[in-house]
Amino acid sequence: MVLGMGAGGGGGPASSPSEWFNSLPWVTRVWFCASMFSTVAMHANLINPLTLAHLHEFTFGKLQVWRLVTNFCFLGKFSFAFLMTILFLIQFSSQLEKDYQGRTSEYLWVVLLGASCLLTLNGLLDLGMYFGSVPLIFYVMYIWCRRHPHTQMSIFGLFNISAAYLPFFHLMMTSLMGGSIMEMGLGVLVGHLFHFLNDLHPWTAGARVFQPPQLLRDLVKNEAGAPPGVYRSANSGQGSWARAQGNPAPAGAGAGAGAGGAGGLFRSSGHQWGPGRRLVD
């Protein structure tokens, strides 16, 4: 993997490890702790990684349903790849969670939707993917990159690329280095599906399925002072996302050209069609 770090990554500057840890948003903090604990416990011979894996015959055959969650919280043994993946988790999960401005239940629902879709595709396509942490992290990365397409990301301080192209850059570099891109590509695919349906497509943007159920809202309380999250279907999915965050759409913006715009492949031309004229009176 190749590390891409942009401004405002992780939990921001901190004077101590505890301050940095406490600055992480709630969902990211729990996910980070679970991933670290599973790897430490494996090295300490406290758990067998197979007890965390999603194995159909155990998950459903023996009703070991915890595997539906734990398979997303194991990143393998301590290695360079582990370090890169945990940094991706911290950076992109925390940044995307902060986009929800303290609406913890809404971000958790985004993660749960992605995890559910990955599990479904894994089963339908018989991919044999026992751990889904890497696809889920790339799912989160892709959504954040598409919502901040013009943010410049530094690659080890050597050069910058726009965030919109960062997931594809990682896919290309991993492939060139001989690694498998199946898990990363699956996360990008599911992330694109979510971004297109929730943020862009006028028929599905802000649909009820993308809003957390009341039970989840009751179980996971938002942070104090968090603004209400309002997702409305509109002629512009991306404009709907921007306005939902409290950012008014710029005057004269065309469909899909809300605050920040969709950017990249999904940027609308912004052309405004007139009322037209009848050809025959």
Side-chain angles (χ1 to χ4, degrees), residues 198-268:
N198 184 56
D199 296 349
L200 296 178
H201 201 284
W203 291 355
T204 57
R208 184 175 297 274
V209 69
F210 298 115
Q211 303 176 31
Q214 188 60 46
L215 177 61
L216 185 62
R217 293 181 185 272
D218 294 337
L219 291 175
V220 181
K221 298 299 183 181
N222 294 336
E223 296 179 9
V230 179
Y231 290 89
R232 297 189 180 94
S233 295
N235 292 330
S236 163
Q238 185 72 13
S240 177
W241 158 257
R243 290 191 293 275
Q245 308 315 304
N247 302 319
L265 299 175
F266 301 113
R267 184 169 54 225
S268 169

Side-chain angles (χ1 to χ4, degrees), residues 4 24 43 47 67 71-72 140 158 173 186 197 202 217 238 269:
L24 293 177
H43 280 280
I47 60 173
R67 295 173 181 269
N71 82 94
F72 293 107
V140 168
L158 299 177
M173 293 303 299
L186 188 62
L197 294 178
R217 293 181 185 272
Q238 185 72 13
S269 64

Side-chain angles (χ1 to χ4, degrees), residues 10 39 45 55 64 71-72 77 86 100 114 128 133 135-136 142 151 158 161 177 194 200 222 226 229 251 263 265 271:
T39 296
N45 294 321
L55 303 171
Q64 297 178 0
N71 82 94
F72 293 107
K77 63 182 181 180
I86 204 75
Y100 285 84
S133 51
L136 190 60
Y142 184 88
T151 300
L158 299 177
I161 64 173
M177 292 187 292
F194 177 90
L200 296 178
N222 294 336
L265 299 175
H271 183 76

Side-chain angles (χ1 to χ4, degrees), residues 8 36 45 50-51 67 73 108 131 139 157 159 176 179 188 190 244 258 263:
M36 288 295 298
N45 294 321
L50 290 179
T51 62
R67 295 173 181 269
C73 302
L108 180 57
F131 297 99
Y139 160 81
F159 58 91
L176 291 176
V188 168
V190 175

Side-chain angles (χ1 to χ4, degrees), residues 96-104 223 225-228 244-247:
L96 184 59
E97 187 170 354
K98 288 176 181 178
D99 280 350
Y100 285 84
Q101 302 176 338
R103 300 191 297 275
T104 306
E223 296 179 9
Q245 308 315 304
N247 302 319

Side-chain angles (χ1 to χ4, degrees), residues 1 168-181 184:
M1 293 184 181
F168 305 105
F169 175 81
H170 284 296
L171 289 173
M172 179 187 70
M173 293 303 299
T174 301
S175 179
L176 291 176
M177 292 187 292
S180 172
I181 63 172
M184 297 180 188

